[in-house]
Amino acid sequence: MRSKRQEQLLAILSEKQDWVTGKQLSSLLNVSDRTIRSDVEAINKKAAPPIESNVRLGYRVVGAQCLTTEKQEAVQEQAGASIPQTPGARCIYIIQRLLFETSELNLMELQSQIYISDSSIQNDLKRIRKMIEPYPELKLVRSRECISLQGDEISKRKFYRELLVAEVQENFLNLNRLAHLYKNFDLIEVKDLFTEVLEEYDYSIHEALFPMLIIHAGTSIERMSTYHYIKMDDQRQGLDETIEYQIAKSFFERVSNRLHIKVQDGEIAMFALVIMGRRASNYAGDHIKFQGKWLNTNKLVKGALNRLKEVFGVDFSGDEDLEAGLKMHLYGLVERAKNQVSLEDVFLEEIKQKYPLVFEMGVYIVGYLEEQLGVRVADMESGFIALHLGAASERMNSVRKYRVVMILPHNQSFSAMCKNKILDMFRDRIEIVKTLHYFEEDTVKLLEPDLILTNFQVEHKLEIPTVLISLFVDSETEANILQALNRLDKKRFHLEFTSHIGQLIRKEHFFQNLDLNTPEEIIACLCGSLKGAGIVGENYLNIVLEREKMSPTSFANALAIPHAFQAFATTSTVAVARLKNPVKWGAFEVKLVMLFAINEGDQRMIKIFFDWVSEIIGKPEELARLTSECSYETFIERIMG
C-alpha cells in the first residue's frame, strides 16, 4: 500500500503530464532527492511500473501524453484535491478555505492535506498576516492547533474583492497562453481567420470581448472535430438575416476548409449570438426546454449572479456582456446535459491553478445550476463559466475607482459646488457613492467606502481614511485628498505584490551563496535554471545579455535585476541569486540578483515588480536585510514585509 506522500507524488506527475525533476519534487514535498528516488522505486515495484525516470529530465508518468482523463481523476481522487505548490498559492488556498469553507482550520490536518512541514505552514501564516495588514479589522488568530480569520463580514468580503482585483488585473484571457491547450489546431490561426472576416465586413468587436469570442470559437471547433454539435432549431427569430450570422457563417466556412471539419447550422447560429453579445436577447428566446420544463434563462443567470453577490460580495449586476455570455453558455450547457456529453477538459486545471478565486466563483455557479436543473452538471463547465467571470472581473477592475462618501452640510449650493469641484479634480480616481448631511457609523459602513471626505471634524471607530476638507476646496484640501489617494494606491499595490511574489519566486530557482565572479556568469546560471525547467527558450540568455550591454541593470550597492522584455516566458518567474561575494556590476557592487522572466499575459507584473524595486532602494535597512544570508522561506518573508 502506498503512503500518502507517494500518492501525492504520483498525483503531481499525473497532473503535470510532463517531466518533473527530482529537485522540483523534493521541493514540493519537502523531502530530500534520495527520498524521492526511494518513493519512485516503491511505487514502481508493481508489475507495470507507472513512473519512468531520466537522469537529465527527472520523472514522469508512463505514457503521459495519452493518459486518459478517467485515469487522471482516479489518481487525483486517491491523493485528494489539487495541492497548491507555491507559497503564494498556499496562502490563497488557506484564505479561501477560511473565508468560504470553515470557520477554523486544524494545522495538523492542513499539513497532511497539502504535504508541507510545520515550518512552511508557519511561514505561510506570516505571509497571510502581511497580506491582511491593510485591513485592521481582520486578524489571523491561532488557538492551540487551529487558526481562524476573525473580523466582520464586510471587511472579509472587501479583502476578497481586493484579492480578486490582484488576481485578474490586466492578466486574463491571454490567447497566446491559452492557445497551447488546444491540441488539434492552432488557436492563433483561428483568431487570424476571424479577424480577416471582421475586416471584410467592416465590423468592429469591443476589445474586452474579443478573447472570449476566440475561446468560444476554439471550443466549438474542438467539439465539432469530435462530431459534437449544438442544435438551435427553436431559437432563431430572424437571426439568419443579421450581419453577425453572415460573419459567423463566413468564418466557419473558412475554418471548415482549413481544418477539414463539418460545420452545422446550429454552431453558426450560436456563434452569431455570441458575437452580438448583449443584443443577442433580441434573437434568442428567453426560455429553453429541459426535461419537459421551460426554463427562463434570464432568471437563471440573474439568480446565479445574485448567489455570487451573497457568497462572495462581488456584484456583477449591470454587466450586460457577462449576462449575455452566461445566457449563451446556458444554451450549450443544457444541450450537453440533454445528450449526456461533456466539454473537453481544456481549461479546468489552467484556471484552477492560475485563477483560484475566479474558479471558486465558477464552482458556486455550477452548484446553483445543479439546484435549479435538478441534474449533475459536469465539473468542466465551472472552468468555462470562470472564463466569463474572469473577463467580467477584468472589465470591472479596469475602470475601478475609489469609493468616496462625502459628509457635507445641508446648504445645497455650497455642497454641490464642493462636490463638483472635487469630482473635476479627481474624476479618474474616485466615484462619490453617497453624500450625507451627518455622520452615522452603520450607514457609512454599509456603503463600504475607501475614503471619507468631510467638512467638519468626525470621530469614529471605522478603519476608513478620513480627510477634513474645505467647502471651497482650497489648495490644502486638494493636497490632502491627493495624499490620501496615494496612500490607498500604496495599500492596493501592497496586496497585489504580496499576493503575486510568493508565486513568482520558486525554491528551485533560488540560489544561496552563489560563487561566481562576473555578471555574465551569474546571468548564465539563472537563465540556465529557467531554461532547464522549460520556462524560457534557447535565445533568452543572449537577449538578456544584449539588454545588459545597453545599460547595466544594477541599482545602488546591493541589487541587480537583469531582464529581457522583448522575450517572453511560459510562466512568469523571478530567479534569485544571493552572491557569496559582492560582484562589480556596472557602477555598483552587487550582492543580490533577481532575474525577471515575464509571461506575455502578465505584463502588469512588470510595473508591480519595478514599483517594488524603486521602493526598496529608498529603504537601505530593508535592502540590507534582503541581501543578507537567509533561507528561501526567510527571503520570501522579508520580501513580503
Side-chain angles (χ1 to χ4, degrees):
M1 182 178 178
R2 298 185 190 122
S3 68
K4 286 186 176 180
R5 187 182 62 243
Q6 290 167 358
E7 293 288 5
Q8 174 59 11
L9 189 155
L10 191 55
I12 290 171
L13 293 177
S14 299
E15 186 174 323
K16 291 289 185 183
Q17 287 289 284
D18 203 351
W19 293 103
V20 183
T21 67
K23 185 177 181 181
Q24 290 170 326
L25 287 169
S26 63
S27 173
L28 291 172
L29 298 174
N30 279 299
V31 296
S32 66
D33 290 0
R34 178 179 294 179
T35 300
I36 295 296
R37 289 195 296 272
S38 298
D39 282 347
V40 170
E41 289 174 4
I43 292 170
N44 280 343
K45 282 183 178 178
K46 289 189 173 183
I51 299 175
E52 58 180 315
S53 60
N54 181 287
V55 174
R56 184 172 62 88
L57 299 175
Y59 306 95
R60 72 173 179 180
V61 172
V62 174
Q65 297 306 312
C66 59
L67 194 68
T68 65
T69 301
E70 289 76 16
K71 288 181 180 177
Q72 289 183 48
E73 289 175 349
V75 171
Q76 290 173 0
E77 188 176 347
Q78 288 179 325
S82 296
I83 305 301
Q85 298 175 5
T86 65
R90 289 199 302 269
C91 289
I92 296 296
Y93 174 83
I94 293 170
I95 290 168
Q96 206 170 334
R97 291 197 61 189
L98 288 173
L99 284 175
F100 302 114
E101 293 183 23
T102 181
S103 58
E104 63 179 20
L105 282 175
N106 184 290
L107 295 179
M108 298 298 292
E109 292 179 3
L110 186 63
Q111 285 181 52
S112 63
Q113 287 165 358
I114 59 178
Y115 298 89
I116 60 172
S117 64
D118 178 66
S119 62
S120 294
I121 285 280
Q122 299 310 317
N123 285 324
D124 289 340
L125 298 183
K126 289 178 183 178
R127 295 179 193 114
I128 293 172
R129 288 191 175 96
K130 286 289 182 183
M131 293 171 74
I132 63 175
E133 272 183 1
Y135 305 86
E137 295 185 2
L138 295 182
K139 303 293 180 187
L140 190 65
V141 177
R142 178 166 181 171
S143 176
R144 296 185 179 179
E145 295 303 318
C146 294
I147 55 166
S148 60
L149 185 62
Q150 296 186 5
D152 63 276
E153 186 63 24
I154 290 177
S155 297
K156 288 180 179 180
R157 293 192 178 197
K158 187 172 184 180
F159 177 47
Y160 177 83
R161 287 198 299 272
E162 295 295 339
L163 280 176
L164 185 64
V165 169
E167 182 173 276
V168 304
Q169 190 83 338
E170 297 178 21
N171 184 30
F172 204 80
L173 297 188
N174 177 264
L175 293 179
N176 291 92
R177 178 192 294 170
L178 296 176
H180 75 279
L181 299 173
Y182 291 98
K183 306 300 183 185
N184 299 322
F185 59 91
D186 184 347
L187 185 67
I188 303 304
E189 184 181 7
V190 168
K191 182 264 295 182
D192 292 339
L193 287 175
F194 186 55
T195 302
E196 287 176 8
V197 175
L198 292 177
E199 289 174 353
E200 290 175 14
Y201 281 86
D202 194 23
Y203 190 95
S204 60
I205 297 288
H206 192 286
E207 186 177 355
L209 298 177
F210 189 80
M212 183 60 71
L213 281 172
I214 300 303
I215 289 171
H216 182 98
T219 304
S220 297
I221 293 167
E222 191 90 13
R223 298 294 296 159
M224 287 188 290
S225 66
T226 55
Y227 306 102
H228 293 100
Y229 298 93
I230 284 178
K231 296 179 180 179
M232 288 195 62
D233 297 333
D234 300 328
Q235 298 98 18
R236 299 300 287 266
Q237 302 180 6
L239 183 63
D240 300 15
E241 306 301 320
T242 65
I243 186 173
E244 287 83 5
Y245 183 88
Q246 297 306 315
I247 289 171
K249 185 176 180 181
S250 297
F251 166 64
F252 275 128
E253 284 175 352
R254 297 184 193 195
V255 167
S256 178
N257 292 332
R258 185 71 60 89
L259 301 179
H260 307 293
I261 61 173
K262 183 180 178 182
V263 178
Q264 291 188 356
D265 195 51
E267 296 289 345
I268 296 172
M270 175 61 77
F271 194 53
L273 292 173
V274 175
I275 295 172
M276 287 180 181
R278 66 188 70 176
R279 293 192 299 108
S281 58
N282 297 328
Y283 296 91
D286 293 336
H287 293 80
I288 187 169
K289 196 171 186 179
F290 179 66
Q291 292 187 340
K293 298 187 300 183
W294 284 98
L295 304 172
N296 186 312
T297 54
N298 287 328
K299 186 177 178 181
L300 279 174
V301 168
K302 290 186 183 299
L305 296 182
N306 284 336
R307 174 68 62 90
L308 291 187
K309 186 176 179 180
E310 291 169 7
V311 176
F312 298 95
V314 181
D315 188 1
F316 288 113
S317 62
D319 189 330
E320 295 180 358
D321 291 316
L322 172 62
E323 291 181 2
L326 289 178
K327 184 176 175 181
M328 292 305 101
H329 186 83
L330 266 178
Y331 283 121
L333 184 152
V334 169
E335 186 72 21
R336 288 185 288 275
K338 284 180 182 178
N339 298 314
Q340 296 184 328
V341 298
S342 63
L343 289 166
E344 297 297 321
D345 184 6
V346 180
F347 299 113
L348 195 64
E349 288 305 318
E350 179 90 0
I351 297 296
K352 187 187 296 185
Q353 290 177 16
K354 295 190 175 178
Y355 308 103
L357 303 179
V358 176
F359 180 78
E360 189 71 10
M361 291 194 293
V363 170
Y364 267 78
I365 284 190
V366 164
Y368 171 81
L369 293 176
E370 287 183 338
E371 293 174 13
Q372 301 303 310
L373 299 177
V375 296
R376 176 85 169 85
V377 175
D379 292 341
M380 287 67 172
E381 301 287 353
S382 58
F384 283 84
I385 290 172
L387 288 174
H388 288 278
L389 297 173
S393 297
E394 187 172 337
R395 289 196 297 274
M396 180 174 66
N397 296 331
S398 66
V399 294
R400 188 174 181 274
K401 301 176 182 179
Y402 292 115
R403 294 170 58 84
V404 174
V405 166
M406 298 188 76
I407 315 292
L408 298 174
H410 282 280
N411 189 310
Q412 292 185 356
S413 58
F414 281 119
S415 297
M417 179 193 71
C418 175
K419 176 180 176 181
N420 292 335
K421 195 168 182 180
I422 287 174
L423 269 179
D424 287 341
M425 287 177 172
F426 302 103
R427 190 177 300 276
D428 60 332
R429 300 183 69 183
I430 69 171
E431 60 173 329
I432 298 175
V433 295
K434 193 77 173 179
T435 301
L436 303 173
H437 300 308
Y438 58 89
F439 181 86
E440 202 280 313
E441 191 168 294
D442 289 339
T443 300
V444 172
K445 190 173 182 179
L446 286 173
L447 292 168
E448 299 184 55
D450 299 299
L451 181 66
I452 298 171
L453 302 180
T454 174
N455 84 308
F456 56 88
Q457 198 71 42
V458 172
E459 292 185 8
H460 61 80
K461 298 178 182 179
L462 300 178
E463 297 290 345
I464 301 170
T466 303
V467 176
L468 189 64
I469 64 173
S470 164
L471 277 176
F472 300 99
V473 193
D474 54 17
S475 58
E476 183 180 0
T477 293
E478 182 180 0
N480 289 340
I481 295 174
L482 183 61
Q483 289 172 11
L485 292 176
N486 288 340
R487 286 192 291 270
L488 288 172
D489 283 344
K490 188 174 181 180
K491 170 185 166 182
R492 183 179 291 178
F493 160 79
H494 172 81
L495 186 59
E496 280 194 64
F497 182 77
T498 53
S499 64
H500 283 91
I501 196 66
Q503 299 183 57
L504 292 177
I505 302 175
R506 292 173 175 264
K507 194 170 185 178
E508 59 265 32
H509 306 300
F510 179 84
F511 297 85
Q512 181 63 272
N513 290 327
L514 188 64
D515 192 9
L516 296 173
N517 301 315
T518 68
E520 292 77 15
E521 291 175 335
I522 296 164
I523 290 172
C525 174
L526 296 181
C527 286
S529 176
L530 298 181
K531 179 176 173 292
I535 293 172
V536 300
E538 293 281 349
N539 63 339
Y540 198 82
L541 171 60
N542 292 332
I543 295 173
V544 174
L545 292 175
E546 285 298 318
R547 164 62 187 86
E548 204 66 36
K549 288 178 183 177
M550 295 168 62
S551 175
T553 56
S554 52
F555 293 84
N557 277 315
L559 175 66
I561 49 169
H563 52 268
F565 289 153
Q566 64 269 50
F568 294 106
T570 57
T571 304
S572 294
T573 309
V574 179
V576 177
R578 195 264 172 196
L579 305 180
K580 184 175 183 180
N581 300 302
V583 168
K584 183 71 173 178
W585 199 301
F588 302 105
E589 295 282 333
V590 165
K591 300 177 184 177
L592 179 69
V593 182
M594 302 178 72
L595 188 145
F596 192 65
I598 186 73
N599 178 275
E600 190 173 3
D602 291 334
Q603 295 191 55
R604 177 173 171 78
M605 288 306 300
I606 297 173
K607 181 181 185 303
I608 293 175
F609 183 72
F610 278 90
D611 281 350
W612 170 81
V613 169
S614 64
E615 183 179 1
I616 198 72
I617 288 171
K619 299 177 179 178
E621 291 184 4
E622 290 189 23
L623 190 57
R625 286 181 66 242
L626 203 59
T627 57
S628 62
E629 185 173 352
C630 63
S631 66
Y632 165 78
E633 287 77 15
T634 303
F635 182 81
I636 294 293
E637 182 182 335
R638 289 175 179 175
I639 204 171
M640 292 177 71

PDB file of all heavy atoms in Angstrom, residues 503-523:
ATOM      1  N   GLN A 503       4.372  33.456  -5.649  1.00  0.00           N
ATOM      2  CA  GLN A 503       4.234  32.520  -6.759  1.00  0.00           C
ATOM      3  C   GLN A 503       5.310  32.737  -7.818  1.00  0.00           C
ATOM      4  O   GLN A 503       5.633  31.831  -8.581  1.00  0.00           O
ATOM      5  CB  GLN A 503       2.848  32.671  -7.389  1.00  0.00           C
ATOM      6  CG  GLN A 503       1.718  32.373  -6.414  1.00  0.00           C
ATOM      7  CD  GLN A 503       0.357  32.454  -7.053  1.00  0.00           C
ATOM      8  OE1 GLN A 503       0.069  31.774  -8.030  1.00  0.00           O
ATOM      9  NE2 GLN A 503      -0.506  33.295  -6.509  1.00  0.00           N
ATOM     10  N   LEU A 504       5.864  33.949  -7.861  1.00  0.00           N
ATOM     11  CA  LEU A 504       6.884  34.248  -8.868  1.00  0.00           C
ATOM     12  C   LEU A 504       8.243  33.665  -8.500  1.00  0.00           C
ATOM     13  O   LEU A 504       8.988  33.208  -9.361  1.00  0.00           O
ATOM     14  CB  LEU A 504       7.026  35.759  -9.053  1.00  0.00           C
ATOM     15  CG  LEU A 504       5.847  36.498  -9.694  1.00  0.00           C
ATOM     16  CD1 LEU A 504       6.133  37.992  -9.736  1.00  0.00           C
ATOM     17  CD2 LEU A 504       5.588  35.982 -11.102  1.00  0.00           C
ATOM     18  N   ILE A 505       8.589  33.703  -7.208  1.00  0.00           N
ATOM     19  CA  ILE A 505       9.898  33.220  -6.760  1.00  0.00           C
ATOM     20  C   ILE A 505       9.741  31.798  -6.244  1.00  0.00           C
ATOM     21  O   ILE A 505       9.152  31.570  -5.181  1.00  0.00           O
ATOM     22  CB  ILE A 505      10.468  34.135  -5.661  1.00  0.00           C
ATOM     23  CG1 ILE A 505      10.578  35.567  -6.168  1.00  0.00           C
ATOM     24  CG2 ILE A 505      11.834  33.641  -5.200  1.00  0.00           C
ATOM     25  CD1 ILE A 505      11.019  36.567  -5.121  1.00  0.00           C
ATOM     26  N   ARG A 506      10.268  30.852  -6.997  1.00  0.00           N
ATOM     27  CA  ARG A 506      10.149  29.442  -6.626  1.00  0.00           C
ATOM     28  C   ARG A 506      11.467  28.937  -6.037  1.00  0.00           C
ATOM     29  O   ARG A 506      12.541  29.392  -6.406  1.00  0.00           O
ATOM     30  CB  ARG A 506       9.761  28.599  -7.848  1.00  0.00           C
ATOM     31  CG  ARG A 506       8.351  28.891  -8.354  1.00  0.00           C
ATOM     32  CD  ARG A 506       8.081  28.152  -9.658  1.00  0.00           C
ATOM     33  NE  ARG A 506       6.708  28.334 -10.074  1.00  0.00           N
ATOM     34  CZ  ARG A 506       5.719  27.477  -9.826  1.00  0.00           C
ATOM     35  NH1 ARG A 506       5.969  26.381  -9.155  1.00  0.00           N
ATOM     36  NH2 ARG A 506       4.496  27.718 -10.242  1.00  0.00           N
ATOM     37  N   LYS A 507      11.348  27.978  -5.164  1.00  0.00           N
ATOM     38  CA  LYS A 507      12.517  27.483  -4.439  1.00  0.00           C
ATOM     39  C   LYS A 507      13.568  26.903  -5.370  1.00  0.00           C
ATOM     40  O   LYS A 507      14.775  27.046  -5.137  1.00  0.00           O
ATOM     41  CB  LYS A 507      12.073  26.430  -3.418  1.00  0.00           C
ATOM     42  CG  LYS A 507      13.135  26.079  -2.384  1.00  0.00           C
ATOM     43  CD  LYS A 507      12.540  25.217  -1.289  1.00  0.00           C
ATOM     44  CE  LYS A 507      13.562  24.973  -0.181  1.00  0.00           C
ATOM     45  NZ  LYS A 507      12.967  24.172   0.931  1.00  0.00           N
ATOM     46  N   GLU A 508      13.113  26.247  -6.455  1.00  0.00           N
ATOM     47  CA  GLU A 508      14.081  25.608  -7.353  1.00  0.00           C
ATOM     48  C   GLU A 508      14.894  26.611  -8.158  1.00  0.00           C
ATOM     49  O   GLU A 508      15.881  26.239  -8.799  1.00  0.00           O
ATOM     50  CB  GLU A 508      13.369  24.628  -8.300  1.00  0.00           C
ATOM     51  CG  GLU A 508      12.298  25.244  -9.171  1.00  0.00           C
ATOM     52  CD  GLU A 508      10.919  25.117  -8.559  1.00  0.00           C
ATOM     53  OE1 GLU A 508      10.811  25.129  -7.312  1.00  0.00           O
ATOM     54  OE2 GLU A 508       9.943  24.993  -9.332  1.00  0.00           O
ATOM     55  N   HIS A 509      14.479  27.891  -8.143  1.00  0.00           N
ATOM     56  CA  HIS A 509      15.243  28.928  -8.846  1.00  0.00           C
ATOM     57  C   HIS A 509      15.819  29.951  -7.866  1.00  0.00           C
ATOM     58  O   HIS A 509      16.040  31.105  -8.216  1.00  0.00           O
ATOM     59  CB  HIS A 509      14.346  29.628  -9.873  1.00  0.00           C
ATOM     60  CG  HIS A 509      13.684  28.697 -10.835  1.00  0.00           C
ATOM     61  ND1 HIS A 509      14.389  27.872 -11.683  1.00  0.00           N
ATOM     62  CD2 HIS A 509      12.371  28.410 -11.053  1.00  0.00           C
ATOM     63  CE1 HIS A 509      13.544  27.142 -12.392  1.00  0.00           C
ATOM     64  NE2 HIS A 509      12.322  27.447 -12.027  1.00  0.00           N
ATOM     65  N   PHE A 510      16.043  29.511  -6.630  1.00  0.00           N
ATOM     66  CA  PHE A 510      16.628  30.365  -5.591  1.00  0.00           C
ATOM     67  C   PHE A 510      18.009  29.821  -5.236  1.00  0.00           C
ATOM     68  O   PHE A 510      18.143  28.668  -4.831  1.00  0.00           O
ATOM     69  CB  PHE A 510      15.719  30.363  -4.358  1.00  0.00           C
ATOM     70  CG  PHE A 510      16.240  31.202  -3.214  1.00  0.00           C
ATOM     71  CD1 PHE A 510      16.003  32.572  -3.187  1.00  0.00           C
ATOM     72  CD2 PHE A 510      16.954  30.621  -2.177  1.00  0.00           C
ATOM     73  CE1 PHE A 510      16.471  33.344  -2.143  1.00  0.00           C
ATOM     74  CE2 PHE A 510      17.427  31.386  -1.127  1.00  0.00           C
ATOM     75  CZ  PHE A 510      17.188  32.752  -1.114  1.00  0.00           C
ATOM     76  N   PHE A 511      19.039  30.654  -5.392  1.00  0.00           N
ATOM     77  CA  PHE A 511      20.422  30.229  -5.177  1.00  0.00           C
ATOM     78  C   PHE A 511      21.019  31.010  -4.010  1.00  0.00           C
ATOM     79  O   PHE A 511      21.069  32.234  -4.034  1.00  0.00           O
ATOM     80  CB  PHE A 511      21.264  30.452  -6.433  1.00  0.00           C
ATOM     81  CG  PHE A 511      20.817  29.642  -7.613  1.00  0.00           C
ATOM     82  CD1 PHE A 511      19.792  30.100  -8.443  1.00  0.00           C
ATOM     83  CD2 PHE A 511      21.384  28.411  -7.889  1.00  0.00           C
ATOM     84  CE1 PHE A 511      19.364  29.351  -9.524  1.00  0.00           C
ATOM     85  CE2 PHE A 511      20.957  27.649  -8.969  1.00  0.00           C
ATOM     86  CZ  PHE A 511      19.947  28.119  -9.785  1.00  0.00           C
ATOM     87  N   GLN A 512      21.474  30.284  -3.000  1.00  0.00           N
ATOM     88  CA  GLN A 512      22.075  30.904  -1.825  1.00  0.00           C
ATOM     89  C   GLN A 512      23.590  30.773  -1.904  1.00  0.00           C
ATOM     90  O   GLN A 512      24.117  29.708  -2.229  1.00  0.00           O
ATOM     91  CB  GLN A 512      21.552  30.215  -0.566  1.00  0.00           C
ATOM     92  CG  GLN A 512      22.080  30.765   0.742  1.00  0.00           C
ATOM     93  CD  GLN A 512      21.684  32.204   0.973  1.00  0.00           C
ATOM     94  OE1 GLN A 512      22.384  33.111   0.535  1.00  0.00           O
ATOM     95  NE2 GLN A 512      20.568  32.415   1.648  1.00  0.00           N
ATOM     96  N   ASN A 513      24.316  31.875  -1.661  1.00  0.00           N
ATOM     97  CA  ASN A 513      25.779  31.892  -1.678  1.00  0.00           C
ATOM     98  C   ASN A 513      26.348  31.417  -3.018  1.00  0.00           C
ATOM     99  O   ASN A 513      27.254  30.583  -3.074  1.00  0.00           O
ATOM    100  CB  ASN A 513      26.346  31.034  -0.542  1.00  0.00           C
ATOM    101  CG  ASN A 513      26.104  31.669   0.815  1.00  0.00           C
ATOM    102  OD1 ASN A 513      26.105  32.891   0.935  1.00  0.00           O
ATOM    103  ND2 ASN A 513      25.865  30.851   1.825  1.00  0.00           N
ATOM    104  N   LEU A 514      25.805  31.942  -4.101  1.00  0.00           N
ATOM    105  CA  LEU A 514      26.286  31.597  -5.434  1.00  0.00           C
ATOM    106  C   LEU A 514      27.698  32.155  -5.605  1.00  0.00           C
ATOM    107  O   LEU A 514      27.930  33.361  -5.448  1.00  0.00           O
ATOM    108  CB  LEU A 514      25.346  32.168  -6.494  1.00  0.00           C
ATOM    109  CG  LEU A 514      25.599  31.748  -7.936  1.00  0.00           C
ATOM    110  CD1 LEU A 514      25.377  30.245  -8.106  1.00  0.00           C
ATOM    111  CD2 LEU A 514      24.684  32.520  -8.891  1.00  0.00           C
ATOM    112  N   ASP A 515      28.638  31.297  -5.948  1.00  0.00           N
ATOM    113  CA  ASP A 515      30.054  31.684  -6.008  1.00  0.00           C
ATOM    114  C   ASP A 515      30.491  31.863  -7.460  1.00  0.00           C
ATOM    115  O   ASP A 515      31.138  31.000  -8.044  1.00  0.00           O
ATOM    116  CB  ASP A 515      30.904  30.624  -5.309  1.00  0.00           C
ATOM    117  CG  ASP A 515      32.348  31.094  -5.085  1.00  0.00           C
ATOM    118  OD1 ASP A 515      32.617  32.293  -5.317  1.00  0.00           O
ATOM    119  OD2 ASP A 515      33.185  30.263  -4.691  1.00  0.00           O
ATOM    120  N   LEU A 516      30.109  32.993  -8.042  1.00  0.00           N
ATOM    121  CA  LEU A 516      30.510  33.340  -9.405  1.00  0.00           C
ATOM    122  C   LEU A 516      31.075  34.756  -9.396  1.00  0.00           C
ATOM    123  O   LEU A 516      30.806  35.549  -8.483  1.00  0.00           O
ATOM    124  CB  LEU A 516      29.321  33.233 -10.357  1.00  0.00           C
ATOM    125  CG  LEU A 516      28.739  31.819 -10.536  1.00  0.00           C
ATOM    126  CD1 LEU A 516      27.463  31.859 -11.355  1.00  0.00           C
ATOM    127  CD2 LEU A 516      29.767  30.890 -11.187  1.00  0.00           C
ATOM    128  N   ASN A 517      31.829  35.102 -10.458  1.00  0.00           N
ATOM    129  CA  ASN A 517      32.644  36.316 -10.391  1.00  0.00           C
ATOM    130  C   ASN A 517      32.236  37.439 -11.337  1.00  0.00           C
ATOM    131  O   ASN A 517      32.720  38.564 -11.199  1.00  0.00           O
ATOM    132  CB  ASN A 517      34.118  35.964 -10.660  1.00  0.00           C
ATOM    133  CG  ASN A 517      34.652  34.959  -9.657  1.00  0.00           C
ATOM    134  OD1 ASN A 517      34.421  35.094  -8.462  1.00  0.00           O
ATOM    135  ND2 ASN A 517      35.345  33.930 -10.148  1.00  0.00           N
ATOM    136  N   THR A 518      31.370  37.157 -12.319  1.00  0.00           N
ATOM    137  CA  THR A 518      31.009  38.199 -13.283  1.00  0.00           C
ATOM    138  C   THR A 518      29.501  38.224 -13.500  1.00  0.00           C
ATOM    139  O   THR A 518      28.820  37.198 -13.299  1.00  0.00           O
ATOM    140  CB  THR A 518      31.690  37.955 -14.648  1.00  0.00           C
ATOM    141  OG1 THR A 518      31.127  36.764 -15.237  1.00  0.00           O
ATOM    142  CG2 THR A 518      33.202  37.808 -14.499  1.00  0.00           C
ATOM    143  N   PRO A 519      28.962  39.355 -13.918  1.00  0.00           N
ATOM    144  CA  PRO A 519      27.530  39.413 -14.237  1.00  0.00           C
ATOM    145  C   PRO A 519      27.134  38.392 -15.291  1.00  0.00           C
ATOM    146  O   PRO A 519      26.056  37.789 -15.202  1.00  0.00           O
ATOM    147  CB  PRO A 519      27.336  40.849 -14.740  1.00  0.00           C
ATOM    148  CG  PRO A 519      28.412  41.629 -14.065  1.00  0.00           C
ATOM    149  CD  PRO A 519      29.586  40.700 -13.991  1.00  0.00           C
ATOM    150  N   GLU A 520      28.000  38.192 -16.295  1.00  0.00           N
ATOM    151  CA  GLU A 520      27.680  37.257 -17.379  1.00  0.00           C
ATOM    152  C   GLU A 520      27.522  35.833 -16.860  1.00  0.00           C
ATOM    153  O   GLU A 520      26.603  35.097 -17.253  1.00  0.00           O
ATOM    154  CB  GLU A 520      28.765  37.299 -18.457  1.00  0.00           C
ATOM    155  CG  GLU A 520      28.826  38.592 -19.243  1.00  0.00           C
ATOM    156  CD  GLU A 520      29.487  39.739 -18.480  1.00  0.00           C
ATOM    157  OE1 GLU A 520      30.153  39.464 -17.439  1.00  0.00           O
ATOM    158  OE2 GLU A 520      29.343  40.899 -18.914  1.00  0.00           O
ATOM    159  N   GLU A 521      28.412  35.428 -15.932  1.00  0.00           N
ATOM    160  CA  GLU A 521      28.326  34.079 -15.368  1.00  0.00           C
ATOM    161  C   GLU A 521      27.049  33.914 -14.534  1.00  0.00           C
ATOM    162  O   GLU A 521      26.382  32.870 -14.587  1.00  0.00           O
ATOM    163  CB  GLU A 521      29.549  33.800 -14.493  1.00  0.00           C
ATOM    164  CG  GLU A 521      30.851  33.663 -15.259  1.00  0.00           C
ATOM    165  CD  GLU A 521      32.047  33.517 -14.331  1.00  0.00           C
ATOM    166  OE1 GLU A 521      31.971  33.972 -13.169  1.00  0.00           O
ATOM    167  OE2 GLU A 521      33.049  32.934 -14.763  1.00  0.00           O
ATOM    168  N   ILE A 522      26.723  34.945 -13.780  1.00  0.00           N
ATOM    169  CA  ILE A 522      25.534  34.881 -12.921  1.00  0.00           C
ATOM    170  C   ILE A 522      24.268  34.808 -13.777  1.00  0.00           C
ATOM    171  O   ILE A 522      23.368  33.994 -13.523  1.00  0.00           O
ATOM    172  CB  ILE A 522      25.485  36.103 -11.985  1.00  0.00           C
ATOM    173  CG1 ILE A 522      26.693  36.078 -11.040  1.00  0.00           C
ATOM    174  CG2 ILE A 522      24.183  36.128 -11.185  1.00  0.00           C
ATOM    175  CD1 ILE A 522      26.956  37.398 -10.349  1.00  0.00           C
ATOM    176  N   ILE A 523      24.204  35.661 -14.804  1.00  0.00           N
ATOM    177  CA  ILE A 523      23.041  35.644 -15.697  1.00  0.00           C
ATOM    178  C   ILE A 523      22.907  34.292 -16.381  1.00  0.00           C
ATOM    179  O   ILE A 523      21.806  33.743 -16.504  1.00  0.00           O
ATOM    180  CB  ILE A 523      23.158  36.780 -16.736  1.00  0.00           C
ATOM    181  CG1 ILE A 523      22.977  38.139 -16.049  1.00  0.00           C
ATOM    182  CG2 ILE A 523      22.112  36.612 -17.839  1.00  0.00           C
ATOM    183  CD1 ILE A 523      23.255  39.321 -16.946  1.00  0.00           C
TER     184      ILE A 523
END
